[in-house]
Amino acid sequence: MRYFSTLIKPASSLCNMRCRYCFYYDVVSNREVASYGVMDKETAVKLIERAFEYTPAPGQLTFAFQGGEPTLAGLDYYRFFVEEVRSRQQDGHTVAYAIQTNGQVLDEEWCRFLKENQFLVGLSLDGPREIHDFQRLDSSLKGTFDTTHRALNLLKRHKIEYNVLTVLTKQTAKKPQTLYRFFEKEKIDYVQVIPCLKALEAQDQPDKPFDLTPKLYSSFLKDFFALWYEGLRKDRYISVRQFDNLVWMMKGRPAEQCGMMGFCSPQFVVEADGGVYPCDFYVLDEYYSGNIMTSSFEEIRKAAGTERFIKYEEPQNSLCPSCPVRGLCGGGCKRYRSFYKAEPGYCPYQDFLCDAYDRLREIAENVTLE
């Protein structure tokens, strides 16, 4: 069976929020065209056609939508997209959908559609009001906790499968217990916490107000992991994607989270104009791999831009060759490596993993996480 997955940006970098740390704003500011607007129907049809061409039955296809803010493409875009997929789906094909959203436009109509079509929804929520409203602002520069929390309750009420994505800034990293207790209180069972990193072109520049420091990141991971471990022992388990993946790796299984193995596999990240790139962190002109309007996914997979991305290596931390926990890291995602080696003679992930190693091994030996 062939597996196909694509990350689609149907509204390019367009967004109805002004988050203080927006990572995709950094990406698009480093390319010639910052936004390609909203994907038109012709491009959507060609994308779907190419996807099924690449994945004959039996096969599994995953269409994931991200941004910017992907809901700005409009609900009719998604209705059209799903119907086009359905018209091409054959016996032996399974199709899955996912969308990462800030939740600002979700309403009853959106939720009925998402439920009917079994979308997995990732909701961007940075924690309780005092944290979220400080970091995630709307276009009027007002906090968005109320509308995001309303979206969370809508997802729960419609019994939509969802997870929460939290960006870990310098401010949030100082409050691991506040963040963890918020997830417990809200009965959020699936969480992903990702670090807020420096802009691509600012690695050697002074930290900005939201940039994490390596030691603060390690401190957060240690404390957050301790809370997670305590909850697991007391049957109050919350799925934290990073920790779950570490347990799977301790069991000898590969991580499902991109970047945790220390090497890159090319993705198909499709911008609104049909342009394809090999990684969401590097949707940059130098890694442009072709356009679905003129190239098949097979051709794109072998394109010069894809090869250039795979061959590009960000130097690893000098501690890597002798690292006792390298098997749980592999040197890290190359987008994170500058951060991992920002302080000479120190690696925040090594610090965390050495602290958590015995507990991870205990969990791997005694607990099944699925």
Side-chain angles (χ1 to χ4, degrees):
M1 177 182 289
R2 191 164 199 175
Y3 296 88
F4 170 83
S5 179
T6 180
L7 180 63
I8 306 163
K9 295 183 176 289
S12 191
S13 60
L14 299 176
C15 192
N16 50 3
M17 286 178 58
R18 297 294 181 269
C19 299
R20 295 180 187 268
Y21 51 69
C22 181
F23 106 87
Y24 204 58
Y25 175 81
D26 162 45
V27 172
V28 301
S29 66
N30 280 277
R31 67 189 194 198
E32 188 173 340
V33 178
S35 175
Y36 293 98
V38 174
M39 182 179 288
D40 59 32
K41 288 184 177 181
E42 182 183 4
T43 306
V45 169
K46 181 58 72 172
L47 190 164
I48 295 163
E49 179 184 300
R50 298 288 194 191
F52 278 100
E53 175 188 274
Y54 186 78
T55 320
Q60 180 174 316
L61 300 91
T62 299
F63 298 100
F65 300 91
Q66 201 176 64
E69 173 49 41
T71 59
L72 295 184
L75 185 51
D76 284 345
Y77 165 87
Y78 291 93
R79 287 174 172 144
F80 174 82
F81 195 100
V82 167
E83 285 304 314
E84 285 295 316
V85 168
R86 191 172 290 131
S87 71
R88 287 168 172 76
Q89 191 171 349
Q90 301 174 5
D91 290 341
H93 275 138
T94 58
V95 175
Y97 296 103
I99 187 170
Q100 182 67 41
T101 177
N102 59 34
Q104 300 307 292
V105 305
L106 293 190
D107 57 16
E108 296 287 344
E109 187 177 14
W110 265 99
C111 286
R112 284 192 295 271
F113 169 83
L114 295 170
K115 178 64 176 178
E116 288 168 4
N117 294 283
Q118 297 181 297
F119 271 66
L120 169 64
V121 178
L123 182 67
S124 298
L125 173 62
D126 278 0
R129 181 187 301 276
E130 65 270 22
I131 295 175
H132 183 96
D133 275 353
F134 181 62
Q135 300 179 169
R136 298 185 60 82
L137 310 177
D138 64 16
S139 57
S140 301
L141 302 183
K142 296 179 180 178
T144 58
F145 180 82
D146 287 336
T147 48
T148 307
H149 193 259
R150 177 179 177 275
L152 175 66
N153 288 332
L154 278 170
L155 294 172
K156 292 178 178 179
R157 187 161 70 246
H158 284 265
K159 295 181 169 57
I160 294 167
E161 189 176 355
Y162 76 92
N163 56 57
V164 160
L165 175 67
T166 296
V167 176
L168 185 66
T169 63
K170 182 183 294 184
Q171 290 74 22
T172 318
K174 296 174 183 177
K175 299 180 178 181
Q177 187 170 64
T178 298
L179 188 62
Y180 196 86
R181 298 307 177 206
F182 172 77
F183 294 146
E184 281 192 321
K185 177 186 174 185
E186 293 292 335
K187 296 181 170 58
I188 297 168
D189 295 328
Y190 297 92
V191 175
Q192 182 178 358
V193 181
I194 61 173
C196 179
L197 302 179
K198 283 188 175 183
L200 287 167
E201 77 286 357
Q203 299 303 313
D204 298 325
Q205 296 178 14
D207 290 348
K208 291 184 177 180
F210 292 88
D211 293 339
L212 273 177
T213 63
K215 288 186 178 176
L216 190 54
Y217 181 50
S218 178
S219 175
F220 171 86
L221 287 177
K222 290 178 187 178
D223 292 344
F224 200 70
F225 179 84
L227 292 163
W228 179 79
Y229 175 77
E230 177 189 18
L232 182 62
R233 293 189 64 189
K234 295 181 178 179
D235 294 323
R236 297 199 310 267
Y237 167 65
I238 294 175
S239 173
V240 178
R241 189 182 184 192
Q242 184 176 6
F243 299 160
D244 288 353
N245 272 271
L246 287 170
V247 173
W248 294 336
M249 293 169 75
M250 291 289 284
K251 288 177 173 287
R253 295 163 54 178
E256 58 77 31
Q257 184 173 347
C258 182
M260 290 194 68
M261 301 292 287
F263 60 85
C264 293
S265 299
Q267 305 171 46
F268 296 126
V269 181
V270 184
E271 257 286 5
D273 69 331
V276 185
Y277 305 80
C279 175
D280 192 34
F281 281 139
Y282 295 92
V283 186
L284 301 168
D285 296 335
E286 61 191 295
Y287 301 121
Y288 173 81
S289 300
N291 193 294
I292 55 169
M293 302 305 289
T294 55
S295 301
S296 69
F297 279 114
E298 189 65 44
E299 291 169 328
I300 288 167
R301 186 175 65 86
K302 299 174 182 176
T306 305
E307 290 297 316
R308 193 156 45 247
F309 172 74
I310 296 300
K311 290 178 180 177
Y312 159 66
E313 278 293 329
E314 178 68 28
Q316 297 181 354
N317 193 306
S318 61
L319 300 177
C320 284
S322 60
C323 179
V325 288
R326 183 176 171 83
L328 291 176
C329 174
C333 167
K334 57 189 170 192
R335 179 63 179 91
Y336 290 6
R337 287 180 187 172
S338 292
F339 175 66
Y340 285 169
K341 60 186 177 70
E343 294 190 22
Y346 178 75
C347 172
Y349 209 50
Q350 181 191 76
D351 190 3
F352 157 64
L353 287 174
C354 286
D355 180 76
Y357 188 86
D358 288 343
R359 284 169 289 175
L360 285 168
R361 182 174 58 187
E362 173 198 326
I363 297 166
E365 291 173 351
N366 296 288
V367 177
T368 300
L369 299 178
E370 298 293 347

